[in-house]
Amino acid sequence: MTKHISRRHVLAGGAASGAALLAGAGSAGAARRPSLALTGVTVIDATRSRPRPGMTVLIAGDRITAVGRRDEVPVPPGTTVVPLAGRYLIPGLAEMHAHSIGTERISPPLYLANGVTSVREMAASAVVSGWRDAIGRGRLLGPRWTIASEIIDGSPSLLLTPDDPGGAILVSDAAEARRAVRRVRAEGADFVKVYSRVPRDAYLALADEARRQRIGFAGHCPDGVPVPLAARAGQRSIEHVHTLWCATSGRDREVRRMLDGIEIEPGGYAGWFRRFHEVEWLASGAYSPDRAAEVFARLRRHRTWTTPTLSMHLIVDRPEKLSMTDERLRYIPAEDREWWRWAVENIYLPGRGPEEIAQQHELFDRRLRFVGAMRDAGVEVLAGSEAGFIYAYPGFSLHEELALLVRAGLTPLEAIGAATLGPARFLGVQDSLGSVHAGKLADLVVLDADPLADIANTTRIHAVLAGGRLITADERRRMLADVERAAKEPAGALPAAAVGCGCHAPRKAWPA
Ligand SMILES: [Zn+2]
């Protein structure tokens, strides 16, 4: 079936990543003779509410050149036919909140094997930038990457200790914030990553400078900045639920006072985390539908997207439920596995009595309801899982996020949209990605079962196409076996991607 898959396919796929991708759809593929024909497949994407059964999809180089019924789209002689009757075709998935781990032999293949063909990396990483370059040169097979700046935080920062001055840029005032934006712009960041402790004045200056420099900014809504103000200031996406629901509380003055009263030590992530949990409990317990309606309207009006990262919250809210014998641990390098276990045992589990456990379980149910309310109000939601965070297995964890989004109230098609067309629109690449249409890049996932019948079926992956490069079922199995082997090797020349988000217990702050 795949005898004509050549090295040319690999190169064509790789060359379309990165900057070339952001330039928008080209037409080079359209003029070329198709090399692949996917036939008899049911096409599902978020541009239509109904699946399209019995479709033929022609692919030339890295592009889709035609999609239609058999009688509409004849297969030219010499085209390699991939018969897919009984199977389902969805656009390649985008992981919109990642902190990739391991080496180039771990995260890039794990994403692709799981149908993740685009990744938004939420903190600058020289390692990940290196992977992106290698993918762009056709040396490495992997997803398309959008990569954040270094994290910009206030001072003191949650992330840094006096012993560890790396990993974030600290800003105390407007001038420093503007300098930081200009610096990360010059360094080539795709967007500015803003973090929890940036003071309000510095934040507003950062927003203004980002607009002047024509670079987007996204991340946490800082503790000192109400969500409606962040939306008006132009923050492109707000990550996690905890930063979102403070403004939707009927006791928002009290919530605001608590937030303003949080003082931290340098690197004081754990202390901040505990204080913030109290704020969340109070805020969500007094959830006000009226206030929420105002906040949601503001988010819509300013086109502010949200990335709830429910899978991350599930890990943190219910750490006692984590499996220490999960079979996917075989894909995780030993040093990361050790760190994950250490972090759970030393940061997330201690001090949790029955009352706190019950409270945090209730908090997670409230998060689901909150995301359902945002969905009902038409707030734009992105699927991001905090991949690479403890027990968030790169590639796999996005599927957990999709399932959680459905539990929260999205339809399966809406959840798929939050990982396909939504990210493409968010990134401004909807001409090239996000749906199964002629002219778009051939980033596609073939499923063995209907994802609209059960969102868990997104995990039943038969094959993946990355920029027109077909990864067959056999090759996919080999990729996973290679990752397993690579994970057993001692950490070598390539360091693990440094800090986690910093969203939760950045690795360097609590050495294992
Ligand atoms: Zn993060």
Side-chain angles (χ1 to χ4, degrees), residues 97-99 122 193 195 220 239-240 309 312 386 389 500-504:
H97 192 125
H99 301 278
M122 293 305 288
K193 168 76 181 279
Y195 206 65
H220 293 199
E239 309 302 299
H240 317 307
T309 64
M312 176 281 292
E386 198 88 35
F389 176 56
C501 166
C503 285
H504 308 282

Side-chain angles (χ1 to χ4, degrees), residues 24-373:
S27 57
R32 267 184 271 156
R33 204 167 62 79
S35 44
L36 271 181
L38 316 180
T39 62
V41 74
T42 297
V43 171
I44 293 172
D45 69 25
T47 63
R48 307 236 188 148
S49 56
R50 288 180 176 283
R52 288 173 279 166
M55 289 288 118
T56 295
V57 179
L58 296 183
I59 294 161
D62 60 355
R63 300 263 167 190
I64 299 167
T65 57
V67 181
R69 291 192 313 269
R70 196 168 58 172
D71 55 321
E72 298 168 332
V73 177
V75 177
T79 308
T80 300
V81 174
V82 184
L84 294 174
R87 295 203 162 91
Y88 299 81
L89 188 69
I90 61 172
L93 301 169
E95 166 59 82
M96 292 301 283
H97 192 125
H99 301 278
S100 302
I101 55 169
T103 67
E104 66 181 14
R105 292 182 57 205
I106 304 284
S107 280
L110 276 184
Y111 287 126
L112 283 191
N114 282 285
V116 175
T117 53
S118 295
V119 174
R120 183 171 64 141
E121 193 73 20
M122 293 305 288
S125 156
V127 174
V128 176
S129 293
W131 299 344
R132 176 164 72 178
D133 290 348
I135 292 165
R137 286 199 302 273
R139 276 208 310 104
L140 176 68
L141 199 54
R144 305 169 198 282
W145 245 289
T146 299
I147 305 176
S149 70
E150 273 185 74
I151 291 170
I152 297 181
D153 199 10
S155 181
S157 167
L158 300 177
L159 306 175
L160 307 185
T161 65
D163 312 337
D164 178 12
I169 301 171
L170 306 192
V171 299
S172 303
D173 57 33
E176 286 178 1
R178 288 184 188 280
R179 264 203 302 280
V181 171
R182 291 196 292 269
R183 172 178 148 191
V184 300
R185 175 87 160 80
E187 286 168 354
D190 293 327
F191 66 97
V192 175
K193 168 76 181 279
V194 62
Y195 206 65
S196 293
R197 300 300 298 176
V198 175
R200 182 175 170 138
D201 289 354
Y203 176 86
L204 293 174
L206 179 151
D208 181 62
E209 192 64 29
R211 191 167 50 245
R212 287 166 192 262
Q213 301 293 329
R214 295 170 182 273
I215 185 169
F217 69 105
H220 293 199
C221 180
D223 296 350
V225 178
V227 163
L229 179 59
R232 200 172 65 205
Q235 183 158 337
R236 296 287 329 283
S237 73
I238 295 176
E239 309 302 299
H240 317 307
V241 171
H242 66 272
T243 59
L244 283 166
W245 64 12
C246 289
T248 62
S249 175
R251 293 168 72 178
D252 66 337
R253 285 217 189 100
E254 207 175 333
V255 168
R256 176 64 24 217
R257 262 201 309 280
M258 283 173 83
L259 283 169
D260 290 341
I262 295 178
E263 285 184 14
I264 62 155
E265 300 289 315
Y269 190 91
W272 173 84
F273 180 78
R274 273 191 293 277
R275 291 296 308 278
F276 210 102
H277 174 226
E278 293 163 21
V279 178
E280 289 195 279
W281 182 249
L282 177 80
S284 60
Y287 176 76
S288 158
D290 289 345
R291 283 195 199 284
E294 288 169 28
V295 172
F296 296 159
R298 184 71 75 93
L299 293 172
R300 278 200 314 273
R301 187 170 341 129
H302 295 287
R303 298 198 187 94
T304 315
W305 295 64
T306 61
T307 320
T309 64
L310 284 167
S311 22
M312 176 281 292
H313 285 299
L314 184 65
I315 290 166
V316 171
D317 289 341
R318 303 183 180 183
E320 51 283 321
K321 301 265 187 197
L322 291 168
S323 167
M324 299 294 142
T325 55
D326 192 306
E327 62 174 31
R328 297 169 299 178
L329 283 165
R330 73 177 82 172
Y331 302 124
I332 305 303
E335 57 175 2
D336 291 289
R337 278 202 311 268
E338 281 160 26
W339 155 249
W340 287 9
R341 181 183 281 269
W342 186 93
V344 168
E345 288 173 355
N346 292 278
I347 298 170
Y348 295 106
L349 283 179
R352 283 164 69 85
E355 199 180 325
E356 189 172 10
I357 289 174
Q359 196 183 83
Q360 275 199 259
H361 284 212
E362 163 65 20
L363 201 58
F364 185 74
D365 292 338
R366 290 180 188 175
R367 294 189 206 281
L368 290 173
R369 289 198 291 275
F370 183 80
V371 173

